[in-house]
Amino acid sequence: MLCDVCSSTDGREDSGELDFSALLKKRSIKAMHMNTDPDVDVWNILSHAPPSEYEKIAFQYGITDLRGMLKRLKKMKKEEKKSEAFLKKLDPAYQVLKGHKIKLAVEVANEDVEVKWFKNGQEIQKSGRYIFESVGNMRYLTINHCSLADDAAYTCVVGDEKCTTELFVKEPPVTIVKNLEDQMVMKGERVELECEVSEEGATVKWEKDGVELTRDESLKYRFKKDGCKHVLIINEASKEDGGHYKVKTNGGESVAELLVQEKELEIYQSIADLTVKAKDQAVFKCEVSDENVRGTWYKNGVEVKPDTRTNISHIGRIHKLTIDEVKPEDEGDYTFVPDGYAFNLSAKLNFLEVKIDYVPRQDPPKIHLDCMGRTADSTIIVVAGNKLRLDVPITGDPAPTVIWTKGEKASYVRPDGEENAGHSACWTLNDGEVITEGDGRVHVESTKGHCIFTIEGAERQDEGVYSVVVRNPAGEDTADINVKVVDVPDPPQAPKILSLGEDSCIVQWEPPHFDGGEPIIGYVLERKKLRSYRWMRLNFDPYPETTYEARRMIEGMTYEMRVYAVNSIGMSHHSPASQPFVPVAPTSEPIGLHVEDISDTSITLKWRAPERVGAAELEGYGVEYCKEGTDEWVPAIQGLTERSSMTIKNLTTGDKLLFRVRAYNMAGPSPPAVLAQPVTIREIMQRPKIWLPRNLRQTLIKKVGDSVNIMIPFQGKPRPKVTWSKDGEPLQPSFASIRNSEFDSILFIRNTERKHSGQYDLKVQIENVEDTVKVMLQIVDLPGPPEALKIVDVWGFNVALEWKQPKDDGNCEISGYTVQKADKKTMEWFTVHNHYRRTHCVVSDLIMGNEYIFRVFSINLVGLSQEPCTTKESVFIQKSGMDYKSPTYREHDFSEAPKFTHPLVNRSIIAGYNATLSCAVRGIPKPKVTWYKNKMDISNEAKYRMLSKQGILTLEIRKPCPFDGGVYTCKAVNDKGEDVVECKLEVRPQLAKEEKKDANK
């Protein structure tokens, strides 16, 4: 009862012996009411749990007010009193899920009586939520859409009587609606692990690597609730914070992995050397991976300070140093040093000073590539997307016409308008005016002493040889500039999973088809769970190989992988995701590999399943063998076998072979289980032995017409000779069918007859060694009818019959007879005796004036005989003239001498407390009982009280003192004799209060 649970929750010493974790998981009972969902019997669990387990049970079952629940349970009565108004009262307690409905039912004695329902002492009025029903003697209270406010005590009142119950409203299990996501952060960053549960204000537990997390003094972990959202916040994550985080509710859990990496700054674009002329602008630009990183610019080791000509900017990840109106003293080595990192980016500023001497005569044009620090074989490298600017110093008087071409050798436009064909792209300048235009991204301009060719947003197709031709009336000059456009590489192909481990996998991919014009530095890998949207980076430094082992995965979880290619320019787009895969470990090796059987050309091996299979299912076993002294393992069969045994055939006699077995699952083969010693393929002599089944060790009984199928296993090598015989004679094929195999022999008889009964002998023989067993077969049939049924005597309403056993007992013992009678008028037969074992009987209670005939069937193991034995003559029961002589009996003497059936027992009692001595006696006539103390009659003493009931004798000693100790004797006497028993009684004085306390301690 529930009320007993409450009274037993305190002070139990043996409750700690139960396995509460198993009790919480496995112990389920039927619902406490017909309208409630089946749930765990929380009250019964609490009744067996120690107080230390209360909080764990409360969290497991969503109990928010554990103390209040226990107080309410303790108020319930331990026993139900009988009631005149109620035939069946309310149960001690009911439980219902929040939002469900429940029906409280009582059965009253008077079906016309009215009842009242109360909640916490207040009468309940009928409404949409509270429905009253009256069906016969049953009275119902239905509560719809139960809420926490309905968690109360309910009372049903009939007149002056009432019955009370407790209704516990339990909130449904809290499930996790949105799972945690894996995260990868840098050291020192803030981490927020967020999940969403089904109920607002629900209680959750956070764990890291199996250890519960709490708010510590340093506020390392903070727990935030926002409606159904629960967030675990980690301020300034450290390497120690990496691991598996789990959030648990009473209805589910979710796991995510947090990886914390050291910060490493990546250089997306480094600063480049510059060559500028006087009063031009010099811009040094670099791009790093972290937009929060600041830095310092240095010139020849001295920090650069901003001024009117020098500007330092930091926008996002881009850092710039701009120098306006460059002067010769600005030439030098410029360095950018990121704050907090032990490396720098350096470049050189070259100042170009062009001196033009005026000569009044004409000078032929000249291209001065050597002034730019380049030669004709130099290559200009530009990153795709950046601006390509070719600034070529030229001289000539008068100002020459500049022609830029890409591809084939240039054609140009003469001043007279004649045009040469055959170029792929051409741009012409004359006195600074563009004569021909190309692509809209291309700009050409000319300044004094310079011709500038610019392409906005360089693309791959802009790569090639650019030719510049300068021409004036005094002559011409030509130069080729090789431009190379570099870009991030193409994404690699989708990676392939080569192998799987328990928490790892080996992934492989092919390099991208195009490396962007720069060598591939390495690769960056990412992974994610199949149903997640967050990709987590596995490495920050480019990995140089195309095979990578990813670790720290959860076994049984489905993942995907993708790869980025990285060159000196940057990182490519990601590759397509790999096929989903599940990290699983190979199973452990099969155990118990041994040889079950061996012959000249075959061997049978047996083994047991591996101890550890893992998250993936076992696909099967692979069996291999090799000759001793070689390493060439040969598969015994193609593919795998699902059985834990195998017979390998077609082996060569005399070979010494080693055998091994490996278990396979999704992750591949397990370590092999190998036989310790090589096995020689040769049949071993084995003595013949017959294993007689237990059911054949006693007589086998079958009915006529049944089939007999006797299978007897045996052993022996080589194959023994098998012989059957019956009663010493060989069995003929027409008598019974015999089928023999290497391991057993079967005797089969399709339709049995009585002649098949007898002893069957089986003999197995190998050379001069043999073994024999015998099997007894008994074929039984219906018995024949009894014989010589006759009427022996008739008196009053009784007839005495007598008969003989049947000649044919059906080959088994006659178990009884069925005797029937029939009135000659109706000839309807009625059974008088069934399974009657004697061959004579008396048929009584016959009707006076009727004439009867009788018949008898014999019965054996098979059934009744087909034909009965019937009396040849009938018997008429006379109506009058009946004289009955009662038999005379000699009166039996039942008297006997007294005898104690239960003796007195020695006792030790405490003074001041009543004590009793008991024994039991029998005797006819009833004996006289006398009690003695130390051989003195105490029958008349008031201190003693003597009782006797149904032969139980009791002597009660009222408040004995130490002087009442001694030898007590009980004596019983009647006309047939007497008997005596005695015992010793020790009376101990009471202890003082102080001594009693010490003794209790």
Side-chain angles (χ1 to χ4, degrees), residues 64-95:
T64 57
D65 187 11
L66 177 63
R67 182 176 298 177
M69 186 194 69
L70 292 175
K71 286 182 179 179
R72 287 163 60 187
L73 292 179
K74 287 183 179 180
K75 293 179 182 179
M76 297 181 182
K77 297 180 180 180
K78 292 185 178 180
E79 297 180 359
E80 290 188 1
K81 296 181 179 179
K82 292 185 178 179
S83 171
E84 295 181 358
F86 294 98
L87 298 179
K88 182 180 179 182
K89 293 187 176 182
L90 293 169
D91 290 342
Y94 295 85
Q95 177 174 300

Side-chain angles (χ1 to χ4, degrees), residues 793-809:
D793 193 7
V794 179
W795 71 96
F797 306 107
N798 308 301
V799 174
L801 302 176
E802 189 178 54
W803 63 89
K804 294 181 180 179
Q805 291 186 352
K807 290 184 178 179
D808 182 10
D809 59 3

Side-chain angles (χ1 to χ4, degrees), residues 10 243 359 445 462 472 716 762 783 908:
D10 298 328
V359 179
E445 59 181 312
D462 295 328
N472 68 5
L762 172 63
S908 176

Side-chain angles (χ1 to χ4, degrees), residues 451-471:
C451 60
I452 303 170
F453 180 84
T454 306
I455 299 178
E456 298 289 345
E459 300 176 354
R460 290 184 185 177
Q461 58 266 28
D462 295 328
E463 181 177 302
V465 177
Y466 288 79
S467 298
V468 58
V469 179
V470 290
R471 181 178 293 124

Side-chain angles (χ1 to χ4, degrees), residues 274 280-286 295-298 304-315 318-326 330 334 336:
L274 296 178
D280 280 355
Q281 184 186 64
V283 179
F284 291 102
K285 172 185 172 184
C286 66
T296 307
W297 290 90
Y298 295 89
V304 178
K305 300 293 185 180
D307 54 25
T308 56
R309 290 192 309 111
T310 306
N311 179 36
I312 299 176
S313 65
H314 172 205
I315 301 174
I318 298 175
H319 297 259
K320 282 186 180 181
L321 172 63
T322 305
I323 304 173
D324 297 326
E325 298 181 0
V326 175
D330 293 327
Y334 286 81
F336 175 74

